[in-house]
Structures are given as C-alpha cells and as structure tokens.
Amino acid sequence: MARVSQIITEDVEAIYNELKASLDKAEGSTWLISGGAGFIGSYFLDLLDYCNKNIFKNPCRVICIDNFIMGVPKRIEHLRDNEYIKIIDADIANPVKPEDWAEWAGYADYIVHAASIASPTFYRRYPIKTIEVNV
C-alpha cells in the first residue's frame, strides 16, 4: 500500500497546528475537492485525513474529483481505500452528477476548487481545458 512521505506528514501536522481553531469547526462536515490529485488539492485531502484519524470524533467525508490530466495519482494512492474519502475520476469542467456521490455523502458543506492547469508549459498544450476548468 502506498504511503504518504514523512515530509508531507510533517507539513500536514504544521498546517493543522496553524489552522486548528478553524478546522475544529469543520468536524463531521462534507467536503468536495476538485483537483484532489494536484499539489494543493492533495494537501487538503491529507489534512482532512489527518484530522479524521487524529482529531475528529465525527469524521469528515471528502469527495475528490480529478481527471488526472495534471494530477498525479500517486499523490493520493494511499487514500484509495479510505472509508471517508471517495475519489471520482471525472472532469470538473463537465457536469458531475451529485447522484454519483450524494447517496454516500449528502451535499457538500465546503467546496475547494483546486483543479487548474498551473504551468505555462501545459497552458500551451491544453489552452481550452485551462480556460474551461477555471470558468
């Protein structure tokens, strides 16, 4: 089974310590994170997983949507069998049916839009997709 690196674990603990007053209010909530396999999105997933395992008595449920054009599947591989995280392979620029996840998690309390093509090299390769995902 894939594991998160010690560096990311230390980062997540530091992020939690900085944000704990705000994150404690999110206990038991449902999150929708687009671009969950990207750099920022994967940190959100790891942070919420950390809170679920170490802090929250009532865990968060997290829906991760990523089409893996830019996201790196390896970043979130350790979360694939997590009972509180559902990973959906879909393009957020197209309609994603709530029935694909609503039965599992209900409606989202928080939405983090972290899906974006953030590299000039890839802007040129995917110009329309860059615009679509950000609009």
Side-chain angles (χ1 to χ4, degrees):
M1 182 170 144
R3 292 183 39 199
V4 66
S5 77
Q6 184 63 32
I7 292 170
I8 292 174
T9 299
E10 290 171 6
D11 286 350
V12 166
E13 290 172 354
I15 292 167
Y16 171 75
N17 287 325
E18 288 290 322
L19 300 175
K20 65 179 152 189
S22 298
L23 283 170
D24 289 346
K25 296 173 190 168
E27 184 172 350
S29 60
T30 299
W31 293 69
L32 173 63
I33 300 176
S34 67
F39 180 74
I40 293 172
S42 66
Y43 264 84
F44 266 99
L45 292 172
D46 285 328
L47 176 62
L48 293 170
D49 182 51
Y50 173 84
C51 291
N52 281 345
K53 289 178 178 172
N54 301 291
I55 310 301
F56 296 159
K57 290 179 180 148
N58 183 17
C60 287
R61 291 170 297 184
V62 184
I63 300 103
C64 164
I65 300 175
D66 203 304
N67 63 4
F68 301 100
I69 286 178
M70 297 299 302
V72 180
K74 186 176 179 178
R75 280 191 184 127
I76 60 172
E77 188 62 34
H78 62 285
L79 301 170
R80 283 255 177 225
D81 296 323
N82 188 303
E83 68 181 306
Y84 298 108
I85 298 174
K86 183 172 181 88
I87 299 170
I88 299 172
D89 186 347
D91 185 345
I92 200 68
N94 298 316
V96 178
K97 300 173 189 165
E99 55 267 23
D100 290 343
W101 53 269
E103 181 180 307
W104 177 78
Y107 291 96
D109 299 300
Y110 300 96
I111 298 173
V112 176
H113 179 52
S116 182
I117 298 173
S119 165
T121 300
F122 292 104
Y123 292 162
R124 289 187 287 278
R125 187 178 300 168
Y126 303 108
I128 302 302
K129 185 57 63 190
T130 301
I131 293 167
E132 287 176 339
V133 76
N134 287 299
V135 174

